[in-house]
Amino acid sequence: MNIDIYNQLRERILFLEYEPGQIFKELDLADTFKVSRTPLRTVLSRLEWEHLVKILPRTGVLITELELNRITDVFQARLEVEEVIGRLAAERFMPGSLSVFATLIEDCDRLLDHKDPRALAEIDGRLKSWFSREAANQYLTEVSERLYTLTFRLWYFNMVRMNANDWRCEVMSVREEIRELSELLGENDPQRVGSVLKNHLTKHTARLRENFLGFSVSR
């Protein structure tokens, strides 16, 4: 598989450069990336497996739409996976790594009055990567990453459309999660760390649902 094309296509889909519901001709995509259709098809098959595109015979390539019911099901799975990852990471926690959390909090503070959805997504990604790395379970990480990808576009869709007040609340919610987790990690209570990760994800899911339905009604 051509990793470079895969990464470019995946990023354009996740950050909504290719809009949900948009249909491309396979030949047009091949022209865009200056490749033949054979290596492109391998990439598209991988993205279809990840539920980011749907290959429509004799029609083209559909960027999968944001279906709230389906994404809600994905979140239910994420809740359980992230709780386990949080517990495992806390069991292996080394106090010296807390500096990572301080940096993440500082980065959140810089975004309170500066709307930058990609930057907030990057902070969230760094937090998620830290827990996956510390949990040290390849299979859980793979499942977690795939589920996260399926919910990411809805979060990014909401962030792009937030007003200044909602944006500040969103940054504060990410900041509070980081702060609470950093404090708990030093208390040697892995079960509680897992529970807090799950609790914050539950609140995150509720906000997304409320905001998405609000945006959907107004559009």
Side-chain angles (χ1 to χ4, degrees):
M1 183 176 70
N2 189 312
I3 297 299
D4 183 53
I5 294 176
Y6 166 77
N7 287 334
Q8 288 187 62
L9 264 174
R10 184 174 181 273
E11 181 172 316
R12 292 180 189 188
I13 293 169
L14 291 182
F15 289 100
L16 306 180
E17 293 178 39
Y18 292 162
E19 296 184 359
Q22 191 171 355
I23 297 177
F24 292 93
K25 295 293 184 182
E26 190 177 287
L27 185 58
D28 292 338
L29 285 174
D31 288 342
T32 296
F33 292 101
K34 306 284 192 295
V35 294
S36 68
R37 295 165 75 176
T38 300
L40 179 64
R41 282 172 179 163
T42 304
V43 170
L44 292 174
S45 294
R46 170 72 184 195
L47 292 171
E48 185 173 43
W49 179 78
E50 295 178 1
H51 299 288
L52 293 177
V53 306
K54 185 179 177 72
I55 299 172
L56 306 174
R58 297 181 297 280
T59 301
V61 180
L62 169 72
I63 308 300
T64 54
E65 300 192 57
L66 300 177
E67 301 172 1
L68 187 59
N69 288 338
R70 183 173 65 88
I71 293 174
T72 298
D73 289 342
V74 177
F75 268 118
Q76 289 176 345
R78 275 194 67 194
L79 287 171
E80 306 308 319
V81 172
E82 299 304 324
E83 182 176 21
V84 175
I85 287 177
R87 176 173 54 78
L88 292 177
E91 289 173 356
R92 297 166 51 88
F93 172 70
M94 301 294 290
S97 61
L98 273 179
S99 60
V100 172
F101 290 81
T103 300
L104 290 173
I105 289 173
E106 291 173 2
D107 291 343
C108 282
D109 289 341
R110 283 191 283 270
L111 292 177
L112 285 171
D113 298 308
H114 173 63
K115 184 178 176 180
D116 187 341
R118 279 192 179 239
L120 188 59
E122 192 265 343
I123 291 170
D124 187 64
R126 282 154 57 197
L127 177 67
K128 181 174 172 53
S129 294
W130 184 92
F131 273 95
S132 293
R133 185 172 59 251
E134 294 300 312
N137 186 306
Q138 174 188 344
Y139 303 102
L140 275 174
T141 296
E142 289 175 358
V143 172
S144 174
E145 179 60 29
R146 188 179 181 201
L147 295 175
Y148 181 77
T149 296
L150 290 173
T151 60
F152 177 84
R153 285 189 301 158
L154 181 58
W155 183 38
Y156 195 77
F157 173 89
N158 281 331
M159 287 197 291
V160 168
R161 289 158 177 75
M162 285 177 180
N163 59 36
N165 183 62
D166 288 340
W167 168 256
R168 189 177 179 87
C169 289
E170 190 66 23
V171 175
M172 286 301 298
S173 70
V174 174
R175 186 189 191 282
E176 174 59 22
E177 178 180 12
I178 297 168
R179 183 201 63 77
E180 187 173 359
L181 288 169
S182 67
E183 292 181 356
L184 284 176
L185 282 166
E187 296 180 6
N188 192 29
D189 190 349
Q191 292 290 346
R192 191 174 175 202
V193 170
S195 295
V196 166
L197 264 178
K198 184 176 183 178
N199 183 52
H200 277 281
L201 184 55
T202 299
K203 293 178 181 178
H204 174 73
T205 306
R207 289 198 310 275
L208 281 179
R209 185 177 183 86
E210 179 181 354
N211 291 336
F212 183 72
L213 289 174
F215 288 133
S216 297
V217 168
S218 63
R219 290 181 69 190

